[in-house]
Amino acid sequence: MLRRHLLAAAALVAVAGPAFAQGQKMRVGVEGNYPPFSQISPDGKLSGFDIDIANAVCERMKVECTLVQQEFDGIIPALNAKRFDMIVASMTITEERKKAVDFSDPYYDVPSRWVAKAGAFKEATPEALKGKKIIVLRNSPRARYVAERYKDSEVLLVNKETDVYLELAAGRGDIGFGSSVVSSESFLKRDAGKGFETVGQTVRLEGGTGGVGIAVRKSDTELKDKINAALKAIKADGTYKRLQDKYFDFDISGES
């Protein structure tokens, strides 16, 4: 009888996920190809807003974190395969993704934006883009948005957000659809973006309610609660604003 109870308890722990303890070692999945949120310098060092948030959250939780670079396309399967314990990779919270993982409270929220050669389009409606080639990140909420609404357009799917603008500049598409921050910081403000402009209004996906969160396995409810507490703490003590101000001249928290 005692053995049966012990086995039942062990099974419950397995379902609930590993117990959280201060001082333990954890692994954080990051992308490394999404400046200014996540990038790799020539010497192999990771940096960016996501990286700083990951380190600040780990410090507040009093755990020792190792950053693990992972291509975005396979980052959720890698989390569920226990390659790492959480994902800090500018992942938009969507109903589809919530079937596979749990999310923290949002830690930022910025709209999407269309970019094309100056003067090419006055608006980015489905009618205006009929027969045109749209460049968008593969397996993303933006790709789903385009597939659902722009059925008469061609679509070029790319593996990295920055590739949207590389392909656009190379003339392999007519218009790009991506993050308003990435399009500005990584393209429009640089020499490569000369002669290009934004088209139409910015777009809030998922009704503007999703935001970007830290993903954990669905069994790790205690870890999710600790992450949420850490996010609240770094916002309350000014750490979040300090980190945000390193990269942006506006509020990306989505709270204002």
Side-chain angles (χ1 to χ4, degrees):
M1 182 65 72
L2 177 60
R3 182 172 181 272
R4 185 180 302 168
H5 285 309
L6 290 174
L7 289 173
L12 181 60
V13 169
V15 171
F20 178 89
Q22 291 185 359
Q24 75 183 69
K25 295 182 178 180
M26 305 193 76
R27 293 162 297 173
V28 182
V30 299
E31 185 187 11
N33 291 306
Y34 193 49
F37 295 96
S38 181
Q39 56 201 351
I40 303 174
S41 64
D43 63 0
K45 186 176 180 180
L46 285 156
S47 64
F49 183 68
D50 279 341
I51 306 305
D52 288 350
I53 289 292
N55 288 328
V57 166
C58 288
E59 181 180 355
R60 188 53 56 103
M61 293 194 301
K62 295 182 170 57
V63 296
E64 181 182 339
C65 286
T66 300
L67 302 179
V68 180
Q69 189 198 5
Q70 169 72 45
E71 287 291 328
F72 192 83
D73 200 31
I75 205 165
I76 286 180
L79 172 69
N80 285 327
K82 299 188 176 181
R83 187 169 181 227
F84 29 78
D85 303 292
M86 57 180 163
I87 297 170
V88 186
S90 289
M91 183 171 287
T92 303
I93 301 168
T94 68
E95 292 303 318
E96 186 66 24
R97 285 173 175 158
K98 286 195 286 188
K99 295 176 183 177
V101 297
D102 277 347
F103 283 98
S104 70
D105 297 333
Y107 66 95
Y108 82 82
D109 185 15
V110 295
S112 302
R113 172 157 79 180
W114 298 94
V115 175
K117 282 188 176 180
F121 304 99
K122 292 183 178 179
E123 55 185 1
T125 62
E127 293 76 19
L129 300 186
K130 183 177 181 179
K132 303 301 181 180
K133 185 178 288 186
I134 300 169
I135 310 170
V136 66
L137 178 66
R138 184 189 313 275
N139 292 335
S140 66
R142 295 185 187 96
R144 188 178 307 112
Y145 177 91
V146 168
E148 291 173 352
R149 292 166 174 80
Y150 292 79
K151 298 183 183 297
D152 294 324
S153 299
E154 294 183 60
V155 179
L156 173 60
L157 299 172
V158 296
N159 293 324
K160 295 183 289 186
E161 181 83 10
T162 49
D163 286 350
V164 170
Y165 309 104
L166 289 176
E167 297 296 319
L168 183 62
R172 286 186 276 270
D174 298 295
I175 191 167
F177 187 50
S179 160
S180 59
V181 171
V182 175
S183 64
S184 175
E185 299 298 321
S186 298
F187 186 59
L188 294 173
K189 289 184 178 180
R190 303 189 178 206
D191 288 344
K194 289 181 178 178
F196 291 83
E197 65 182 5
T198 61
V199 179
Q201 301 296 314
T202 57
V203 179
R204 287 277 180 184
L205 303 179
E206 300 290 292
T209 61
V212 168
I214 296 173
V216 300
R217 287 181 288 274
K218 293 188 77 68
S219 60
D220 290 348
T221 54
E222 186 179 2
L223 175 57
K224 182 179 74 172
D225 291 343
K226 293 292 185 181
I227 291 170
N228 282 337
L231 288 172
K232 286 183 175 66
I234 66 172
K235 287 182 178 182
D237 70 5
T239 299
Y240 182 94
K241 186 178 187 307
R242 176 176 57 79
L243 297 178
Q244 171 189 264
D245 290 350
K246 286 174 59 178
Y247 304 97
F248 315 110
D249 55 7
F250 56 94
D251 180 22
I252 68 166
S253 69
E255 296 179 351
S256 61

